[in-house]
Amino acid sequence: MLKLAIALAAGVLLAGQAAAQERPSQAVIDAYLHSTFGKASPEWQARIKPDETLAICNTMRNNPSSAQSDEILKREATRVTYPADGKFLGDWKKGYAVANNGRGGQFSDPPGTVAGGNCFACHQLDPKEVSYGTLGPSLTAYGKDRKYDAESVKDAYIKIYNSMAVVPCSNMPRFGVNKVLSEAQIKDVMAYLFDPESPVNK
Ligand code: HEC
């Protein structure tokens, strides 16, 4: 009897926790976001307004219907700007700095802060690097595994420039579209993935 009472009490507790973890409505989330941006400049205020794609991802909790996924892929593909000189690869050494830099994108940043891509936060890249995140797949030997193939180079550029042109509601930032990284920085990080001399491919 005592055991049953404990089990019942535990059940009530668990149910209570589940209810507490339920996600609040989008309106509550939006209001909260607005309040936290209260002191930010108008330019920054504009950034919390989701674009069409992000609005779908937010309401669908990153689980868009197949029609919405098609719509997102189509729209995001049109938002990729390719390098004017047709070259996708820059300097891998500078690319390492981009991949390893998690600064930028905060309104407390000193003026002139150069933002990084923070790639290591989600990906393994150089196999010798001890610290990396695993939210994204390992990119070790990325160029080598793809035989430095031109089509794979272009695909990776698209992914980095606009992750949602490849995976709707991706967790990976849309680096080019959202102007987190410049075209030159994207080329450098591309070289870090694809240059045969890059530690990623060693
Ligand atoms: C917040 C986490 C996150 C960050 C930061 C991030 N990525 Fe990703 N990346 C992902 C995820 C997750 C995937 C898997 C596909 C998807 O869900 O979009 C991915 C996929 C990729 C792919 C495709 C891999 C394949 O299967 O061919 C490439 C290339 C890539 N990322 C490069 C980068 C580079 C370069 C950077 C830094 C400029 C970066 N990522 C930063 C999360 C991230």
Side-chain angles (χ1 to χ4, degrees):
M1 194 60 200
L2 182 64
K3 266 192 189 154
L4 180 66
I6 291 171
L8 280 174
V12 168
L13 253 178
L14 281 176
Q17 273 173 3
Q21 278 169 9
E22 239 171 60
R23 194 177 133 141
S25 71
Q26 196 59 44
V28 169
I29 295 171
D30 288 346
Y32 181 74
L33 276 178
H34 277 280
S35 75
T36 60
F37 268 59
K39 291 194 192 86
S41 69
E43 190 193 314
W44 277 87
Q45 298 279 357
R47 289 185 45 169
I48 45 175
K49 193 175 175 332
D51 63 16
E52 261 177 298
T53 292
L54 200 57
I56 294 174
C57 297
N58 287 347
T59 19
M60 299 306 288
R61 300 179 186 186
N62 289 342
N63 197 9
S65 69
S66 85
Q68 285 170 324
S69 294
D70 291 347
E71 178 196 326
I72 291 172
L73 290 176
K74 217 166 128 196
R75 175 170 44 240
E76 296 303 314
T78 65
R79 302 179 73 195
V80 177
T81 305
Y82 294 93
D85 63 3
K87 296 201 177 90
F88 288 108
L89 306 183
D91 175 342
W92 72 258
K93 286 181 185 146
K94 289 187 190 159
Y96 167 71
V98 174
N100 201 32
N101 177 7
R103 295 195 137 243
Q106 304 196 3
F107 53 80
S108 52
D109 287 339
T113 301
V114 176
N118 213 10
C119 316
F120 277 101
C122 296
H123 295 286
Q124 183 180 29
L125 290 133
D126 175 350
K128 292 207 183 75
E129 200 78 37
V130 289
S131 165
Y132 56 86
T134 53
L135 186 61
S138 170
L139 305 178
T140 295
Y142 198 79
K144 195 176 174 186
D145 284 352
R146 284 158 187 75
K147 304 189 166 53
Y148 308 106
D149 163 66
E151 205 53 40
S152 305
V153 169
K154 190 178 170 198
D155 289 348
Y157 181 88
I158 295 171
K159 180 71 191 171
I160 298 166
Y161 197 96
N162 189 1
S163 61
M164 292 202 207
V166 183
V167 177
C169 303
S170 169
N171 279 324
M172 179 164 148
R174 291 177 286 172
F175 290 106
V177 164
N178 286 335
K179 300 193 170 19
V180 178
L181 298 179
S182 67
E183 184 182 292
Q185 283 180 304
I186 294 178
K187 286 179 171 191
D188 290 340
V189 92
M190 281 286 296
Y192 188 55
L193 289 179
F194 280 98
D195 195 307
E197 292 309 311
S198 161
V200 168
N201 296 312
K202 291 284 179 195

